[in-house]
Amino acid sequence: MPTHIKDAQGSSNNSSSSRHASIVEMLSTPPAIPQQPTGSSEVESISLSRNPSLTSLDSQVSTTTSCLTKIHSQKWQHIPLSQLIEPNKLISVDGSISVEEAFNTLVRHNLTSLPVEKFPGDVDCITFDYNDLNSYLLLVLNKIQVNDAQVARDCQTGKPVPVGEIVKLTPKNKFNKLPETENLSTAIGILGSGVHRVAITDPQGTQIKGVLSQRRLIKYLWDNARQFSNLESLLNSSLSDLKIGVQDSQTAPTSRQSRVISIQGEEPVIMALFKMHNERISSIAVVDHHGNLLGNISVTDVKLVTRTSQYPLLHNTCRHFISVILNSRGLEMGKDSFPIFHVYPSSSLARTLAKLVATKAHRLWIVQPDSASPSTPNSAVSSTQQSAAISTSTHHSDSDVPARSGSPLNVKSMEEPANTTSTPLFEKEYRTGKLIGVVSLTDILGLLARKQTEHKQVDPQTARRQRGSVAI
């Protein structure tokens, strides 16, 4: 297939072959397909990207050849689920262990969810994730009420609480199970409705062999996008053209759209956690009084306030907590980094997917760039900004380590105009642009389901309506 994935904001692919691809282009281009051993008669020359010398974002090195094994285009819809199973990431816990033990297991294995079994091999299990950890923390602090008075008392008096009891207290979707012989078309019909993960079982449905999450599916499609020619037209389209997510804060979202949920930077962190709990979302935008995006707080950042010594952070501002999050990431990486959690209405789907994969996020915030800036969002970036982008692409995950002292907040976002002076992030009241929308994994998977499978009526809000909001 032609592999020129064109960003809706970018320039033409007809640039000089000597021009080096920018970081923006690298973020907008699916990874190259690994070369397989083959005879010379089976090799054909194809373009790898806008710059034939660029192989992938991961390698970031030049190559003297643009020859790859002849790749026969596939339809992603027909890929069996067995190809996406990651057995090493299937870690289950018994429902009798404490919430603290379950949390430590999440961190130790770098997972976002765990099946909680009533007995070994329980195929009707439910999952424990960071939303449950957030609910547990709010219960400990007596910020929410639940129907189980004994569990509430145990939480507030410091007694160990079985994780099997906590997972029953928050609204959840059914843990759907699909046999490994099913294909991606079936899975995307479920995940595109807002369900976060499905269990993959053996053909008889008697044993869970893996878990397929929305994030894992998006990463698979992006990593293998060059093999799926039917994705190209969508990848080249802008978010505005595709009409996904919310892109106008003055207009009520349709039934197929997410809502833009944000919090003021001066509000306490505990309120951000409460909002995420109440709205059943995994991250929330932090904005200033003018609606400009300041940053992002994810439900996985709860891990930074799980110790009693960290509780004062809960009553500090969301603005300050963003600096704590960035400090912790800098400590883990050994360098400063600034994850880029925003896109523009004119950003291509390719670039949006690249950022979602790189940030390991469930949603990106759509911002309106400052019209006074002479730079466009995809204009050339400085070397400092390129370094920030590379840091983002190679690591951004939610850190497992506590915050350190000192502030590394002097790394600029990749999309900030290059002529901005190097000033510490919050000292100069850094903003990425006015928050005007949000696009989520659910929005994208729902789009793929409607456009390219038989699931033409998939509604991304179905799962949220089933979960409902939490009664307080």
Side-chain angles (χ1 to χ4, degrees):
M1 85 180 242
T3 55
H4 297 297
I5 304 300
K6 179 181 177 183
D7 194 311
Q9 295 170 302
S11 59
S12 169
N13 293 330
N14 297 326
S15 57
S16 167
S17 61
S18 63
R19 180 177 69 83
H20 291 289
S22 70
I23 297 296
V24 170
E25 291 172 324
M26 294 161 70
L27 274 175
S28 305
T29 307
I33 300 169
Q35 184 172 353
Q36 301 295 329
T38 184
S40 59
S41 61
E42 297 177 343
V43 176
E44 67 173 11
S45 177
I46 61 175
S47 173
L48 296 181
S49 68
R50 289 175 181 160
N51 182 352
S53 67
L54 178 65
T55 56
S56 71
L57 179 62
D58 293 329
S59 62
Q60 297 177 24
V61 295
S62 296
T63 180
T64 58
T65 179
S66 61
C67 293
L68 284 179
T69 303
K70 184 174 182 179
I71 300 298
H72 297 285
S73 178
Q74 302 182 55
K75 289 189 179 297
W76 62 265
Q77 297 93 329
H78 300 161
I79 301 296
L81 297 181
S82 58
Q83 290 194 20
L84 279 78
I85 292 176
E86 298 177 290
N88 59 315
K89 292 190 176 182
L90 181 60
I91 308 293
S92 301
V93 295
D94 189 273
S96 62
I97 72 169
S98 69
V99 175
E100 288 83 356
E101 290 178 272
F103 165 62
N104 290 333
T105 303
L106 277 179
V107 172
R108 185 165 59 252
H109 295 281
N110 193 28
L111 299 171
T112 57
S113 69
L114 294 167
V116 178
E117 300 177 329
K118 295 178 181 177
F119 52 85
D122 180 12
V123 294
D124 294 319
C125 57
I126 54 180
T127 57
F128 170 76
D129 57 27
Y130 279 100
N131 281 313
D132 295 303
L133 180 65
N134 187 29
S135 299
Y136 172 72
L137 177 63
L138 292 171
L139 266 176
V140 169
L141 298 173
N142 197 26
K143 296 298 182 182
I144 61 173
Q145 304 296 321
V146 294
N147 293 329
D148 193 323
Q150 183 60 50
V151 168
R153 281 195 297 271
D154 289 346
C155 286
Q156 290 156 24
T157 57
K159 294 182 179 179
V161 178
V163 67
E165 296 300 320
I166 290 296
V167 296
K168 294 188 296 186
L169 299 179
T170 55
K172 289 181 180 291
N173 294 117
K174 179 182 177 182
F175 194 24
N176 291 273
K177 293 178 283 292
L178 294 174
E180 60 185 338
T181 51
E182 271 289 1
N183 55 35
L184 284 186
S185 179
T186 302
I188 208 169
I190 298 172
L191 297 174
S193 70
V195 173
H196 290 170
R197 57 188 67 87
V198 297
I200 303 176
T201 71
D202 59 2
Q204 294 74 35
T206 58
Q207 178 187 0
I208 295 178
K209 301 189 68 175
V211 176
L212 177 62
S213 66
Q214 289 181 322
R215 199 165 70 185
R216 164 67 174 147
L217 178 51
I218 285 287
K219 186 177 188 306
Y220 176 82
L221 293 174
W222 175 248
D223 288 347
N224 296 278
R226 290 172 180 271
Q227 299 183 54
F228 308 135
S229 59
N230 55 343
L231 284 177
E232 185 175 8
S233 62
L234 290 178
L235 291 175
N236 287 338
S237 300
S238 70
L239 298 180
S240 292
D241 292 339
L242 295 171
K243 294 180 173 58
I244 58 174
V246 177
Q247 297 185 32
D248 184 354
S249 58
Q250 304 303 315
T251 303
T254 69
S255 62
R256 285 183 174 178
Q257 293 175 321
S258 305
R259 286 191 297 143
V260 185
I261 301 173
S262 62
I263 190 167
Q264 292 288 325
E266 303 310 317
E267 291 196 62
V269 173
I270 190 70
M271 183 55 67
L273 302 186
F274 178 80
K275 270 194 171 184
M276 287 190 286
H277 166 84
N278 201 38
E279 297 288 350
R280 313 314 306 160
I281 55 175
S282 58
S283 62
I284 190 169
V286 180
V287 298
D288 66 11
H289 293 297
H290 301 287
N292 295 302
L293 180 66
L294 294 175
N296 178 88
I297 294 177
S298 168
V299 71
T300 55
D301 296 322
V302 171
K303 67 181 70 173
L304 298 177
V305 290
T306 53
R307 299 172 185 167
T308 305
S309 61
Q310 298 166 327
Y311 281 3
L313 284 173
L314 293 168
H315 303 287
N316 212 322
T317 66
C318 291
R319 176 189 291 265
H320 174 261
F321 193 52
I322 292 173
S323 70
V324 172
I325 295 167
L326 295 179
N327 271 323
S328 67
R329 290 187 177 118
L331 177 61
E332 183 176 348
M333 290 182 62
K335 63 174 69 176
D336 300 342
S337 68
F338 187 83
I340 304 165
F341 288 102
H342 65 274
V343 288
Y344 299 86
S346 54
S347 294
S348 67
L349 181 61
R351 190 164 184 221
T352 303
L353 285 177
K355 282 192 174 184
L356 283 166
V357 170
T359 56
K360 298 182 179 179
H362 277 269
R363 58 183 51 78
L364 295 175
W365 310 106
I366 304 173
V367 299
Q368 182 64 52
D370 185 357
S371 58
S373 171
S375 301
T376 59
N378 273 357
S379 60
V381 291
S382 66
S383 58
T384 302
Q385 292 167 304
Q386 290 184 8
S387 297
I390 293 172
S391 296
T392 301
S393 64
T394 55
H395 172 93
H396 359 245
S397 53
D398 304 290
S399 173
D400 295 338
V401 295
R404 59 174 177 172
S405 59
S407 175
L409 303 179
N410 56 1
V411 179
K412 297 178 289 184
S413 164
M414 179 187 70
E415 297 187 355
E416 183 184 359
N419 60 357
T420 303
T421 57
S422 179
T423 307
L425 186 63
F426 290 108
E427 286 184 19
K428 71 171 189 148
E429 299 263 308
Y430 174 83
R431 299 172 182 86
T432 58
K434 185 174 182 179
L435 177 65
I436 60 172
V438 61
V439 60
S440 67
L441 296 180
T442 298
D443 292 324
I444 294 171
L445 292 172
L447 172 77
L448 292 174
R450 293 192 302 274
K451 295 285 188 182
Q452 298 194 340
T453 75
E454 68 276 15
H455 306 289
K456 303 301 183 185
Q457 302 302 316
V458 164
D459 180 356
Q461 293 303 302
T462 300
R464 176 171 291 176
R465 285 195 294 269
Q466 290 174 352
R467 290 192 296 269
S469 60
V470 181
I472 302 301

